[in-house]
Amino acid sequence: MASGFLTLISFFTRIPVGRKITYDENNFKRALSLYSLMGAVIGILLVAVYFLFGRTYIAFLRGLVLTIGYVAITGGIHLDGAADTSDGLFSGRTGERVFEIMSDSHIGAFGVICLIVILLSQFVLFSFADMFTCFLMPVVGRACLAVSCLGKKYAKKTKGMGTTFIESMDMKTVAVNLIFLAIFVVITPYRMIFAVSCFATIAATLFTAGWIEDKIGGMTGDTCGFIIETSQIIFMILVLFLKG
């Protein structure tokens, strides 16, 4: 389990783990129950950034540094997936042509728009978010992805790590990820606001995942990135709205 958790951190972030990690499918599958916990590791680093700039009177400076920090921590891996997903799903094409567009190394107009919207949203939302929201944001994003993959199949014909991730999300794995999320919500001072925001975000994520499944017949690694980035933005918007 520990080796699998380090694999998650190694493959889905740029956090140095101190040793060379080799991919083992069985360890990777077992560690998927800790996917939300990996989000907490990212959240702790974001809180550290928040404390460094939390006393500044220039809110947008804090928002900019947190946005850059998040991209640096994750390596932009989910941003890339979100852009590719937008290019494919909003292209108006169907069938295998959608996957060809998503696999193209060149970014299209919809991908550019998607990146602008995501980064601008993060910049603004981080500028007004408290440290608890910064901590929970990546946890919520990864819990939402776990839920969205439940019962889904890998949409592409070619198999890879995305196949293992998506098709290994069973009820037990999802439940453990949601338990981690619930624990982190309960220990915050705004537990009711966070609980409502999490519930609404998960509902929105299920709707999005269903729409993606209707379009391409399942999920892919790229759509996973799209789910994470959009769910995190939805969560932060809801928190700020409920806090008034």
Side-chain angles (χ1 to χ4, degrees), residues 50 54 59 62-63 66 122-135 137 194 235-236 239-240 243:
Y50 181 92
R62 183 172 64 245
L66 282 166
Q122 288 181 348
F123 165 61
V124 173
L125 293 168
F126 273 138
S127 297
F128 299 100
D130 58 45
M131 68 175 183
F132 301 105
T133 304
C134 293
F135 170 74
M137 182 207 79
F194 286 141
F235 171 72
M236 288 198 290
V239 170
L240 286 175
K243 288 179 69 175

Coordinates of all heavy atoms in Angstrom, one line a residue, residues 50 54 59 62-63 66 122-135 137 194 235-236 239-240 243:
Y50 N -0.1 29.3 1.1 CA -1.1 30.3 1.6 C -0.5 31.1 2.8 O -0.6 32.3 2.9 CB -2.3 29.6 2.0 CG -3.4 30.5 2.6 CD1 -4.4 31.0 1.7 CD2 -3.5 30.8 3.9 CE1 -5.4 31.9 2.2 CE2 -4.4 31.7 4.4 CZ -5.4 32.2 3.5 OH -6.4 33.0 4.0
G54 N -0.3 34.7 3.0 CA -1.6 34.9 3.6 C -1.7 36.3 4.2 O -2.8 36.8 4.4
A59 N -4.7 40.6 -2.3 CA -5.3 39.3 -2.5 C -5.0 38.6 -3.8 O -4.7 37.4 -3.8 CB -6.8 39.4 -2.3
R62 N -1.7 36.7 -3.8 CA -1.9 35.4 -3.2 C -2.5 34.4 -4.2 O -2.1 33.3 -4.3 CB -2.7 35.5 -1.9 CG -2.8 34.1 -1.2 CD -3.5 34.3 0.2 NE -4.8 34.8 0.1 CZ -5.3 36.0 0.6 NH1 -4.4 36.8 1.1 NH2 -6.5 36.3 0.4
G63 N -3.5 34.9 -4.9 CA -4.2 34.1 -5.8 C -3.3 33.6 -7.0 O -3.3 32.5 -7.4
L66 N -0.7 31.0 -5.5 CA -1.4 29.7 -5.3 C -1.7 29.0 -6.6 O -1.6 27.8 -6.7 CB -2.7 29.9 -4.5 CG -2.5 30.2 -3.0 CD1 -3.8 30.7 -2.4 CD2 -2.1 28.9 -2.3
Q122 N -9.2 29.7 -11.2 CA -8.3 29.4 -10.1 C -7.7 30.7 -9.5 O -7.6 30.9 -8.3 CB -7.2 28.4 -10.5 CG -7.8 27.0 -10.7 CD -6.7 26.0 -11.1 OE1 -5.5 26.4 -11.4 NE2 -7.0 24.8 -11.1
F123 N -7.2 31.5 -10.4 CA -6.6 32.8 -9.9 C -7.5 33.6 -9.1 O -7.2 34.1 -8.0 CB -6.1 33.6 -11.1 CG -5.7 35.0 -10.9 CD1 -4.7 35.3 -10.0 CD2 -6.4 36.0 -11.5 CE1 -4.4 36.7 -9.7 CE2 -6.1 37.3 -11.2 CZ -5.1 37.7 -10.3
V124 N -8.7 33.8 -9.6 CA -9.7 34.6 -8.9 C -10.2 33.9 -7.6 O -10.3 34.6 -6.5 CB -10.9 34.9 -9.8 CG1 -12.1 35.6 -9.0 CG2 -10.5 35.8 -11.0
L125 N -10.5 32.6 -7.7 CA -11.0 31.9 -6.5 C -10.0 31.8 -5.4 O -10.3 31.9 -4.2 CB -11.5 30.6 -7.0 CG -12.8 30.6 -7.9 CD1 -13.0 29.2 -8.5 CD2 -14.0 31.1 -7.1
F126 N -8.7 31.5 -5.8 CA -7.7 31.4 -4.8 C -7.4 32.7 -4.1 O -7.0 32.8 -3.0 CB -6.4 30.9 -5.5 CG -6.2 29.5 -5.5 CD1 -5.7 28.9 -6.7 CD2 -6.5 28.7 -4.5 CE1 -5.5 27.5 -6.8 CE2 -6.3 27.3 -4.5 CZ -5.8 26.7 -5.7
S127 N -7.7 33.8 -4.8 CA -7.5 35.2 -4.2 C -8.4 35.4 -3.0 O -8.1 36.2 -2.2 CB -7.7 36.2 -5.3 OG -6.8 36.1 -6.4
F128 N -9.6 34.8 -3.0 CA -10.5 35.0 -1.9 C -10.8 33.8 -1.1 O -11.6 33.8 -0.1 CB -11.9 35.5 -2.6 CG -11.7 36.8 -3.3 CD1 -11.7 36.8 -4.7 CD2 -11.7 38.0 -2.7 CE1 -11.5 37.9 -5.4 CE2 -11.6 39.2 -3.4 CZ -11.5 39.2 -4.7
A129 N -10.1 32.7 -1.4 CA -10.3 31.5 -0.6 C -9.5 31.5 0.7 O -8.4 32.1 0.8 CB -9.8 30.2 -1.4
D130 N -10.0 30.8 1.8 CA -9.3 30.7 3.0 C -8.4 29.5 2.9 O -8.5 28.7 2.0 CB -10.2 30.6 4.2 CG -11.2 29.5 4.1 OD1 -10.8 28.4 3.7 OD2 -12.4 29.7 4.4
M131 N -7.6 29.2 4.0 CA -6.6 28.1 3.9 C -7.3 26.8 3.9 O -6.8 25.8 3.4 CB -5.6 28.2 5.0 CG -6.2 28.0 6.4 SD -4.8 28.0 7.6 CE -5.8 27.7 9.1
F132 N -8.5 26.7 4.6 CA -9.2 25.4 4.6 C -9.8 25.0 3.2 O -9.8 23.9 2.8 CB -10.4 25.5 5.6 CG -9.9 25.8 7.0 CD1 -10.1 27.1 7.5 CD2 -9.2 24.9 7.8 CE1 -9.7 27.4 8.8 CE2 -8.8 25.2 9.1 CZ -9.0 26.5 9.6
T133 N -10.2 26.0 2.5 CA -10.7 25.8 1.1 C -9.5 25.3 0.2 O -9.6 24.4 -0.6 CB -11.3 27.0 0.5 OG1 -12.4 27.5 1.4 CG2 -11.9 26.7 -0.9
C134 N -8.4 26.0 0.4 CA -7.2 25.6 -0.3 C -6.8 24.2 0.0 O -6.4 23.4 -1.0 CB -6.0 26.5 0.0 SG -6.2 28.3 -0.5
F135 N -6.9 23.8 1.2 CA -6.5 22.4 1.6 C -7.5 21.4 1.0 O -7.1 20.3 0.5 CB -6.5 22.3 3.1 CG -6.4 20.8 3.6 CD1 -5.2 20.1 3.5 CD2 -7.5 20.2 4.1 CE1 -5.1 18.8 3.9 CE2 -7.4 18.9 4.5 CZ -6.2 18.2 4.4
M137 N -9.7 21.7 -1.6 CA -9.9 21.7 -3.0 C -9.3 20.5 -3.7 O -10.0 19.8 -4.5 CB -9.3 23.0 -3.6 CG -9.5 23.1 -5.1 SD -8.3 24.1 -6.0 CE -6.9 23.0 -6.1
F194 N -18.8 23.4 3.9 CA -18.0 22.4 3.1 C -18.7 21.2 2.7 O -18.6 20.7 1.6 CB -16.7 22.1 3.8 CG -15.7 23.2 3.9 CD1 -14.9 23.4 5.0 CD2 -15.4 24.0 2.7 CE1 -13.9 24.4 5.0 CE2 -14.5 25.0 2.8 CZ -13.8 25.2 3.9
F235 N -16.4 23.5 -6.7 CA -16.3 23.5 -5.2 C -16.0 24.8 -4.6 O -16.6 25.3 -3.7 CB -15.3 22.4 -4.7 CG -15.0 22.4 -3.3 CD1 -15.9 22.0 -2.3 CD2 -13.8 22.9 -2.8 CE1 -15.7 22.0 -1.0 CE2 -13.5 23.0 -1.4 CZ -14.5 22.5 -0.5
M236 N -14.9 25.5 -5.1 CA -14.5 26.8 -4.6 C -15.6 27.8 -4.8 O -15.8 28.7 -4.0 CB -13.2 27.2 -5.2 CG -12.0 26.3 -4.7 SD -10.4 27.1 -4.9 CE -10.2 27.0 -6.7
V239 N -18.3 27.3 -2.2 CA -17.8 27.7 -0.8 C -17.9 29.2 -0.7 O -18.4 29.7 0.3 CB -16.4 27.2 -0.6 CG1 -15.9 27.8 0.7 CG2 -16.4 25.6 -0.4
L240 N -17.4 29.9 -1.7 CA -17.4 31.4 -1.6 C -18.8 31.9 -1.6 O -19.2 32.9 -0.9 CB -16.6 32.0 -2.8 CG -15.1 31.8 -2.7 CD1 -14.4 32.4 -3.9 CD2 -14.6 32.6 -1.4
K243 N -20.5 31.1 1.8 CA -19.9 31.9 2.9 C -20.3 33.4 2.8 O -20.2 34.2 3.8 CB -18.3 31.8 2.9 CG -17.8 30.5 3.3 CD -16.3 30.4 3.3 CE -15.7 31.3 4.3 NZ -14.2 31.1 4.3

